[in-house]
Amino acid sequence: MYWNSLTYFGDSMLLLPTGIIIAFFMAWKVTGRFTPLAWLFTFGISGFLVCISKLLFLGWGIGSTRYNFTGFSGHTTMSATIWPVLLWLLSGGLHKRLRQVTIAVGFLLPVLIGYSRVILGAHSPSEVITGLIIGLSASSIFLITQRHQIVKAFTFSQLAIMLIVPILLVSRGKQATTQNMIEQFAEHITGHPAWTREKLLSQLG
């Protein structure tokens, strides 16, 4: 139950709307004029890499039997991209040391989410590790390039407005169908059933 609850914090149903909400509030709370665009680019690149890796496997079986790799873990990649940036944004009004701790939590949470994907049998270690590398690289590059920007503090009401949609999504716990959509698209463009992990691993024999 604990791992199922934790893993939802990396689900696309929660993270995709949250990523867009972050961009809107960046336009309001961050002094950098192009910061929201830089964020949307970072967010989009991470999602694109996940989708491409999954499409290559589902459509053409491009993966690794040796490392049990069928594509980057979407939960891990996107949570590693979003959570450090979200907590950077929300902690703009905090004392420097407390803000650093808050952002550090943003980097730790995706590691736990990735671990939950392995525990639940949704992904192999290689898929989680590569997802962490991509996501944490993306969020780190964004934060480094935006380190000189001033982030204005949130009032309680502003914080409530920003978090109302994510909180509602978490309370519902509905999962995204992104994987099924990519699978159907792969079958449509290739004209044959999507590859499966079982088929990949059967090549070991």
Side-chain angles (χ1 to χ4, degrees):
M1 192 67 181
Y2 168 78
W3 295 116
N4 280 311
S5 299
L6 179 60
T7 204
Y8 188 74
F9 285 88
D11 196 275
S12 295
M13 182 64 73
L14 171 65
L15 295 187
L16 291 181
T18 301
I20 303 300
I21 291 170
I22 288 173
F24 279 112
F25 275 83
M26 279 181 177
W28 182 15
K29 288 294 185 178
V30 182
T31 56
R33 181 178 179 183
F34 297 105
T35 299
L37 293 177
W39 164 245
L40 289 175
F41 177 78
T42 302
F43 180 54
I45 286 294
S46 291
F48 177 76
L49 291 175
V50 171
C51 290
I52 288 297
S53 70
K54 290 180 178 292
L55 183 61
L56 289 174
F57 173 73
L58 293 169
W60 295 275
I62 299 176
S64 173
T65 304
R66 179 179 180 182
Y67 295 105
N68 189 12
F69 181 82
T70 65
F72 307 126
S73 165
H75 281 65
T76 309
T77 305
M78 300 313 296
S79 63
T81 303
I82 287 180
W83 283 106
V85 176
L86 175 60
L87 293 183
W88 167 80
L89 179 63
L90 295 178
S91 63
L94 300 180
H95 184 273
K96 182 178 179 180
R97 185 59 60 85
L98 182 56
R99 191 178 191 212
Q100 290 173 342
V101 172
T102 302
I103 296 172
V105 172
F107 281 100
L108 175 61
L109 183 57
V111 176
L112 296 176
I113 291 172
Y115 184 66
S116 75
R117 301 304 286 165
V118 176
I119 293 294
L120 294 171
H123 283 290
S124 66
S126 66
E127 294 162 354
V128 166
I129 292 171
T130 52
L132 279 173
I133 291 173
I134 293 172
L136 293 179
S137 296
S139 57
S140 296
I141 291 172
F142 174 84
L143 293 178
I144 289 171
T145 59
Q146 303 301 315
R147 65 187 181 279
H148 298 303
Q149 304 300 340
I150 297 174
V151 182
K152 302 173 185 176
F154 281 75
T155 65
F156 180 80
S157 59
Q158 292 167 353
L159 187 63
I161 292 171
M162 181 177 184
L163 297 180
I164 183 83
V165 172
I167 290 173
L168 287 174
L169 290 171
V170 169
S171 65
R172 292 182 62 189
K174 186 176 180 180
Q175 298 180 347
T177 57
T178 312
Q179 180 74 18
N180 291 336
M181 292 173 60
I182 299 175
E183 183 176 323
Q184 291 173 10
F185 181 65
E187 292 176 346
H188 176 73
I189 61 178
T190 62
H192 60 70
W195 274 66
T196 64
R197 189 183 301 276
E198 290 73 20
K199 183 177 180 180
L200 176 72
L201 297 179
S202 68
Q203 298 178 353
L204 285 172

